[in-house]
């Protein structure tokens, strides 16, 4: 089995953004050393508990501190950006780190409506760009290719055609993935012959149906000759089941705030989360999150990962190590996140 990592770069209440990035740098080095396959950075905006706002910037930083692991976006929210800008960013990353770059693309805004409006307005984008998402996906793939895109020009110009390319001399291309949490993305990935990842760690509803649809409708392409997919899951692994549960609690509380419309804050420390009393609605979100997470001792967690891989027929699992920390932890570290990767690797790699 292959193991990979998804990272939202969580920011705890005891951390600055600089601290969170330092902790993530240590975490990716742990994943690189242990033999994890890939390490993806998500795109979210204006969220106190998330420092992952610009995947290409973070990927460039992490690539400079690692040697072998593939690095990518999980994902870039394409309606927020001009396709040429995305293509140039990831083609340049691929040129700097050949064979190590993944471009995972999504259609969701990755933020609240106000922030989304600000992002899209600055990039000259609007709601119609969501409808044009399939075309923009094609544009990004073509612009990153060796041949680029041939643009037709009016006859009164000196040249009637113009070639647009993300880099002048591309020799390799980032691997393009389509990400999603709905049936729309499954149908689209299959129709375009793209590798596909369903956000099981976030949604957990409809994963089996989406993957079955993707496999049944898949059309081979130059990008992928056969369906290619894997599973994402939130995970906390510790020496004991009780400690893993305690370390996961702050993340579950954060998800409860998001789902119930409460104001978002930085990620609580364990002691603060344990002291809070939740509403029935928030408690229901916590219980739902626990049902689809990997949490427990090394043996328990390994069995849960194997069961998920078997249930969804995948040979790669991408874990989102969501453990918080206890009071007194060095803010520039996330030891429980490192431990999650280390203990899983001992059992499964």
């Amino acid at each position: 089995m292959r193991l990979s990592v998804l990272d939202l770069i969580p920011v705890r209440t005891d951390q600055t953004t600089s601290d969170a990035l330092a902790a993530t740098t240590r975490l990716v080095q742990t994943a690189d050393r242990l033999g994890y396959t890939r390490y993806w950075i998500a795109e979210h905006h204006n969220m106190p508990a998330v420092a992952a706002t610009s995947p290409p910037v973070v990927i460039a930083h992490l690539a400079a501190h690692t040697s072998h692991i593939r690095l990518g976006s999980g994902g870039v929210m394409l309606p927020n950006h001009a396709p040429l800008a995305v293509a140039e960013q990831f083609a340049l990353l691929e040129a700097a780190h050949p064979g190590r770059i993944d471009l995972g693309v999504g259609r969701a805004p990755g933020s609240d409506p106000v922030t989304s409006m600000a992002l899209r307005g600055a990039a000259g984008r609007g709601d119609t760009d969501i409808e044009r998402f399939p075309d923009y996906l094609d544009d990004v793939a073509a612009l990153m290719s060796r041949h680029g895109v041939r643009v037709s020009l009016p006859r009164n110009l000196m040249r009637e055609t113009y070639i647009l390319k993300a880099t002048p001399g591309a020799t390799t291309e980032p691997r393009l993935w389509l990400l999603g949490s709905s049936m729309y993305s499954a149908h689209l990935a299959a129709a375009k012959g793209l590798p596909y990842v369903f956000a099981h760690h976030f949604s957990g509803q409809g994963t089996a149906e989406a993957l079955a649809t993707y496999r049944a409708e898949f059309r081979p392409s130059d990008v992928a000759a056969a369906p290619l997919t894997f599973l994402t899951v939130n995970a906390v692994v510790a020496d004991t089941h009780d400690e893993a549960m305690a370390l996961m609690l702050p993340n579950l509380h954060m998800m409860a705030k998001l789902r119930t419309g409460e104001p978002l804050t930085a990620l609580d420390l364990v002691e603060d989360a344990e002291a809070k009393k939740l509403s029935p609605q928030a408690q229901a979100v916590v219980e739902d999150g626990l049902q689809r997470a990997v949490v427990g001792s090394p043996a328990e967690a390994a069995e849960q990962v194997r069961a998920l891989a078997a249930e969804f027929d995948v040979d790669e699992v991408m874990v989102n190590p969501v453990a918080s920390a206890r009071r007194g932890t060095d803010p520039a570290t996330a030891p429980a996140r490192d431990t999650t990767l280390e203990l899983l690797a001992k059992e499964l790699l």
Side-chain angles (χ1 to χ4, degrees):
M1 179 184 296
R2 294 191 299 273
L3 289 177
S4 294
V5 181
L6 175 65
D7 191 358
L8 277 63
I9 316 183
V11 183
R12 307 188 307 260
T13 55
D14 64 334
Q15 290 180 310
T16 64
T17 299
S18 295
D19 292 330
L21 286 168
T24 276
T25 303
R26 290 179 172 86
L27 189 65
V28 74
Q29 290 172 330
T30 297
D32 195 28
R33 171 175 54 83
L34 293 172
Y36 281 74
T37 299
R38 67 187 90 241
Y39 194 105
W40 282 5
I41 301 298
E43 177 186 342
H44 293 287
H45 301 278
N46 201 34
M47 295 184 179
V50 176
T53 56
S54 180
V57 174
V58 178
I59 290 167
H61 170 73
L62 299 184
H65 289 81
T66 53
S67 302
H68 306 292
I69 196 166
R70 292 189 67 90
L71 296 157
S73 55
V76 165
M77 301 296 103
L78 189 53
N80 293 341
H81 312 283
L84 178 58
V86 174
E88 286 184 329
Q89 290 162 359
F90 280 82
L92 188 59
L93 286 168
E94 176 68 19
H97 307 280
R100 293 183 60 200
I101 302 300
D102 293 330
L103 170 54
V105 174
R107 188 174 65 118
S111 188
D112 61 87
V114 175
T115 305
S116 178
M117 185 182 303
L119 281 166
R120 292 176 183 173
R125 321 211 68 69
D127 290 342
T128 58
D129 292 288
I130 298 176
E131 299 171 7
R132 298 182 63 186
F133 176 75
D135 295 331
Y136 290 157
L137 198 59
D138 291 339
D139 290 343
V140 169
L143 287 162
M144 291 191 305
S145 71
R146 299 181 187 183
H147 303 293
V149 175
R150 186 177 296 272
V151 181
S152 297
L153 299 177
R155 289 183 177 274
N156 61 338
L157 295 182
M158 186 175 296
R159 288 182 292 174
E160 294 183 10
T161 59
Y162 187 88
I163 303 299
L164 277 176
K165 294 179 67 176
T167 57
T171 57
T172 58
E173 302 169 20
R175 177 175 280 278
L176 185 61
W177 294 77
L178 182 59
L179 317 182
S181 57
S182 68
M183 293 303 298
Y184 171 91
S185 57
H187 291 299
L188 184 61
K192 292 189 177 294
L194 292 175
Y196 174 61
V197 180
F198 188 86
H200 180 78
H201 73 285
F202 177 77
S203 176
Q205 301 295 323
T207 305
E209 182 184 4
L211 294 184
T213 297
Y214 166 68
R215 289 170 173 137
E217 297 180 1
F218 184 86
R219 299 177 184 176
S221 70
D222 292 339
V223 178
L228 180 60
T229 188
F230 57 77
L231 176 71
T232 63
V233 62
N234 292 333
V236 177
V237 188
D239 289 334
T240 68
H241 179 87
D242 288 346
E243 179 64 5
M245 290 286 289
L247 290 163
M248 175 164 267
L249 192 60
N251 175 266
L252 294 170
H253 284 195
M254 182 182 69
M255 289 305 302
K257 290 177 182 177
L258 182 65
R259 296 287 172 83
T260 60
E262 293 184 35
L264 299 180
T265 61
L267 190 69
D268 280 336
L269 296 172
V270 170
E271 292 87 350
D272 297 326
E274 290 177 328
K276 289 185 177 178
K277 182 174 179 58
L278 300 182
S279 68
Q281 295 85 353
Q283 186 61 41
V285 175
V286 166
E287 292 172 1
D288 178 65
L290 273 175
Q291 288 179 1
R292 63 174 185 271
V294 167
V295 55
S297 67
E300 290 173 330
E303 181 56 34
Q304 292 167 31
V305 170
R306 292 189 188 99
L308 282 168
E311 178 182 356
F312 296 106
D313 191 23
V314 295
D315 58 10
E316 179 177 341
V317 173
M318 176 173 275
V319 297
N320 178 20
V322 298
S324 185
R326 292 188 177 275
R327 191 168 287 112
T329 299
D330 180 351
T333 68
R337 301 181 76 214
D338 281 284
T339 297
T340 292
L341 298 191
E342 290 168 352
L343 294 179
L344 274 181
K346 286 181 182 178
E347 296 287 333
L348 297 170
L349 293 181

